[in-house]
Amino acid sequence: MSRSNPRVLSTLERAGGFASAQEVYRLMQREGESIGLTTVYRSLQSLVNDKIVDVLRRDDGEAIYRLCGDAHHHHLVCKSCGDTVEIEGGAIEKWAKVMAEEHGFRDVGHTAEIFGICSKC
Amino acid sequence: MSRSNPRVLSTLERAGGFASAQEVYRLMQREGESIGLTTVYRSLQSLVNDKIVDVLRRDDGEAIYRLCGDAHHHHLVCKSCGDTVEIEGGAIEKWAKVMAEEHGFRDVGHTAEIFGICSKC
DNA sequence: AGCACAAATGAAAATGATTTTCATTCCCAT
DNA sequence: ATGGGAATGAAAATCATTTTCATTTGTGCT
């Protein structure tokens, strides 16, 4: 396995906590950091595994990474500008639990995301 | 520009109204249809422009196309054996709608999936 | 210090979806 | 028939991401 390179996390923070792997890489280069693209990808992945960052997708399919609070939440994402709002998902938690029980599933987790066009766009 | 090849739409329908471009292509090939991958992409894009289909992204970034207004369902997936159950998601629809309104979003869609370990595993 | 071994790194190649190019074919109105 | 625009698709180009693999770095041990 591999651990995250701390400079990657620090750069992601400096980027406003919201950037693609390529962007983090270019940013580090511009700042004179010596790092390989591979390491950036690996570090981001590892941060995702550790649930320190969240990954979502731009409309063009590029993955964007963002720091996120530790509480379990969901996202409301603008398809146009990428603006993201963290929302509460109590209804989902309950739904997931009920559905899983109904079908005899255990160790249940879920993903849910809402997307649309925000008021500014 | 280009108009959509009707066989592409028909195949997407037959696929359950939910498939990636590559899947539509492979499906058409398997059924003996003579069509190029390029045409599949172009047709799907055109269907998106005409708002006949919706596009979202899988976790791996692959674009999946879905017939609009399709009463869509959600999945309960076993992490161990991959078995999948289609479940009803009325609660989610409502949740998505409320959350979106609350934050001034429009043209809202959503994704939701539950995963766990099924009774057989 | 010197040695061994695991983890980290990054350049380059591989992968895979999607897009672009461009030459060819099809279709339709004259 | 014929000329021109639309549709098609094979092949090449793009681009993010992953994999490979050889090299470097770090760490514990003697």
Side-chain angles (χ1 to χ4, degrees):
Chain A
M1 291 290 128
S2 76
R3 231 180 279 118
S4 157
N5 182 318
R7 288 175 296 155
V8 169
L9 177 54
S10 136
T11 303
L12 183 58
E13 275 167 355
R14 224 164 330 108
F18 197 147
S20 74
Q22 302 279 346
E23 284 163 0
V24 168
Y25 175 66
R26 284 194 289 269
L27 196 58
M28 293 181 81
Q29 294 234 302
R30 221 175 300 133
E31 289 173 352
E33 300 251 27
S34 166
I35 197 166
L37 184 54
T38 314
T39 301
V40 172
Y41 273 103
R42 268 193 292 239
S43 294
L44 288 172
Q45 261 163 0
S46 147
L47 288 168
V48 170
N49 284 344
D50 297 349
K51 314 222 190 260
I52 294 168
V53 313
D54 230 5
V55 56
L56 8 151
R57 295 272 169 186
R58 289 227 186 92
D59 262 9
D60 66 354
E62 194 173 353
I64 52 184
Y65 302 85
R66 65 195 290 280
L67 293 168
C68 72
D70 39 5
H72 182 74
H73 55 257
H74 295 274
H75 293 126
L76 177 53
V77 187
C78 177
K79 282 193 278 195
S80 169
C81 68
D83 201 21
T84 303
V85 182
E86 288 186 2
I87 53 183
E88 179 267 340
I92 302 303
E93 319 288 332
K94 199 180 301 170
W95 172 72
K97 202 171 166 225
V98 168
M99 287 296 164
E101 269 167 16
E102 201 169 290
H103 292 276
F105 278 56
R106 60 207 154 78
D107 286 343
V108 213
H110 64 271
T111 60
E113 204 169 282
I114 313 182
F115 44 87
I117 308 290
C118 77
S119 47
K120 280 173 298 199
C121 293
Chain B
M1 287 292 121
S2 75
R3 229 171 293 130
S4 158
N5 182 318
R7 289 175 295 156
V8 169
L9 177 55
S10 135
T11 304
L12 183 59
E13 276 169 356
R14 225 168 325 112
F18 199 145
S20 73
Q22 303 278 346
E23 285 164 358
V24 168
Y25 175 65
R26 284 194 290 268
L27 196 59
M28 293 181 79
Q29 294 234 304
R30 222 175 298 131
E31 291 175 350
E33 299 252 25
S34 165
I35 197 166
L37 184 55
T38 315
T39 301
V40 172
Y41 273 105
R42 268 193 293 239
S43 293
L44 288 172
Q45 261 165 358
S46 149
L47 289 168
V48 169
N49 283 345
D50 296 349
K51 310 221 191 265
I52 294 168
V53 313
D54 232 4
V55 57
L56 16 148
R57 295 271 169 186
R58 288 226 186 92
D59 269 5
D60 66 352
E62 193 175 354
I64 51 184
Y65 301 86
R66 178 180 80 187
L67 288 172
C68 280
D70 223 30
H72 76 276
H73 50 256
H74 296 273
H75 292 126
L76 176 53
V77 186
C78 177
K79 280 190 277 196
S80 170
C81 67
D83 201 20
T84 302
V85 182
E86 288 188 2
I87 53 183
E88 178 268 339
I92 303 301
E93 318 288 331
K94 200 182 298 172
W95 172 72
K97 201 172 166 225
V98 169
M99 285 299 164
E101 268 168 16
E102 201 169 288
H103 292 276
F105 278 56
R106 60 209 153 76
D107 286 341
V108 212
H110 65 271
T111 60
E113 205 168 281
I114 314 181
F115 44 89
I117 309 289
C118 76
S119 47
K120 280 172 298 194
C121 294

